[in-house]
Amino acid sequence: MSIIARAALAWSLAATALVVAGTPADAAAVGDGSLVFAGTVEIPTFPCPPPSPDTYPCVGSFTASTAGTMRGLHGGSPWQLSLNAVTLGAFSYVDLLEPGVPCTEGRARGTTTLDTGSSGQAFGTYTTGTLARPIRSAAITYSFNWLREGVTAVLTIFDVTVTLQVDGIGSVTVLDDGTAHAVASFVPGADFGVPTGCMGGEPTRLRGSIAGTVAGVSVQP
Amino acid sequence: MRTRMRSLGSIAACLALFVGVAGMPQPVQAAGGGDITISGTARLAGGFPCPMPNPGGQACTATLEGVTILGSLAGRDASGNAWTLVLNAHSVDSQFTYIDDVTPDPPCVEGFGAGYLNFTAVPGPQAEAFGSYHNGAIPQAVVGASGSMLFNWRRVGPVMAFTIRDVVVNLDVNIVGPVQVINTETTSQRSNGAGTFVPNVAADKIPDCVNGDSNASANWTASVTWDFGLTAQ
């Protein structure tokens, strides 16, 4: 079954439930897709131990070139989108030092934004009736939790929102409160040096490349 | 003759100085340790489970309430004086952060954090602290004690593991007064501990371990028992 067909089936199931529940028609939307990203991550302090009371977890950031495709059904209107853009993200993070083996595990939580209106391009259509309207730009935001083991991070993605700028209509939020999953790898850069903080010394700044795939973006009614 | 007398006097003075130096007590490295057990209730102000905070946010914080601290410690202080301490105290000030993994791992299963613990065993009829301090022929009684420490912890299920550092123990000794007998703040020495953490659930208060919602308004508590094996060398 194709993605569109699955979306249509899910939509019709949603519509059935809608009649029973009496929920507003535009409350349900379905969609899915995947994004590939690659960029750099800045970690000002590594390792960053769990915060003591009255202190804050460390905050890092990343910038990544992102490309992908998404599609779905919104209020009876099918849409499809291809995009490339720069993703900007910020995250709080903690590295587990003790008890256990220092630095091998970490946790993070953050948010990202991507807007082809600011950087990049969006292609696609949003169809109303028989008219396929061009998509001028797209903005995607999402939150994530990550669990790092060594240089590999497994991410859970939530609060996915996709907003399209559609020719002749304007701004349309086609996905809201979506979920996804991702795997990313982190490779320390040349200025990484020795992570002395993992051996009882002072923490160091960390910069490196990050790459991964966000897959299974979905919203179910 | 006068010159020879001066020389002999110098030699005698040097000898006396040497004997004096050799006879002086040499500094002794403080060493001690023992076990303490802390049991009580942790009030989880941020709810349970508590996920990683967003950038710029703080981790959830818990405080200990209704605590009993039992312990038996012994050692030698920096002057080489032997001491012993038995604790049965209730005055504990402890706060710790807690972060629970909610995704991608299953919610509620694992957690971690960091905190501090201060205790005071006051003199009086409750005998919260007793023991001995040997700085002479007659040992003096320990009538009170206080201490502090920092800790990091990890949890898998209800089982906690601790790393403890910056341990300070002070005794209140009869006649002598306050004496510091353990201080690992400058040695970076670590001790270990283990314990349990069991959230107090009720019919109307069950943690959301499916979605990981902290539900901070539910006034969460957890029963904790921590065993710390303190070492200072």
Side-chain angles (χ1 to χ4, degrees), chain A residues 49-57 59 90-94 96 98-100 105 107-111 145-147 154-156, chain B residues 51-59 61 95-97 99 101-105 110 112-115 152-154 161-163 165 190:
Chain A
S52 301
D54 300 324
T55 62
Y56 289 78
V59 175
F91 53 90
S92 59
Y93 67 97
V94 166
L96 300 184
E98 53 185 1
E105 290 184 55
R107 310 286 192 270
R109 181 186 182 101
T111 56
N145 285 331
W146 96 22
L147 193 154
V154 178
L155 290 80
T156 299
Chain B
M52 268 289 290
N54 281 314
Q58 278 188 291
T61 303
Q95 218 175 40
F96 60 92
T97 57
I99 297 172
D101 290 341
V102 293
T103 58
D105 278 354
E110 293 189 46
F112 56 90
N152 282 59
W153 62 272
R154 293 190 68 176
F162 292 86
T163 300
R165 66 184 194 282
R190 264 54 172 168

Side-chain angles (χ1 to χ4, degrees), chain B residues 11-26:
Chain B
I11 292 169
C14 288
L15 194 60
L17 183 64
F18 172 77
V19 170
V21 169
M24 284 173 59
Q26 298 299 300

Side-chain angles (χ1 to χ4, degrees), chain B residues 25-127:
Chain B
Q26 298 299 300
V28 176
Q29 188 71 37
D35 294 298
I36 62 174
T37 300
I38 298 137
S39 55
T41 300
R43 183 159 297 281
L44 310 174
F48 180 79
C50 178
M52 268 289 290
N54 281 314
Q58 278 188 291
C60 292
T61 303
T63 51
L64 286 189
E65 300 175 346
V67 176
T68 297
I69 177 166
L70 303 172
S72 178
L73 303 167
R76 289 185 181 275
D77 68 6
S79 301
N81 300 319
W83 58 273
T84 63
L85 171 65
V86 175
L87 280 171
N88 183 359
H90 304 281
S91 178
V92 171
D93 167 30
S94 179
Q95 218 175 40
F96 60 92
T97 57
Y98 65 101
I99 297 172
D100 300 296
D101 290 341
V102 293
T103 58
D105 278 354
C108 303
V109 177
E110 293 189 46
F112 56 90
Y116 66 82
L117 185 144
N118 304 321
F119 69 86
T120 304
V122 295
Q126 303 299 325

Side-chain angles (χ1 to χ4, degrees), chain A residues 39-84:
Chain A
T40 58
V41 60
E42 291 271 354
I43 295 177
T45 303
F46 179 82
C48 179
S52 301
D54 300 324
T55 62
Y56 289 78
C58 296
V59 175
S61 62
F62 70 86
T63 304
S65 296
T66 306
T69 59
M70 304 181 79
R71 62 183 66 187
L73 194 61
H74 171 256
S77 298
W79 57 273
Q80 54 184 337
L81 170 69
S82 299
L83 63 84
N84 62 75

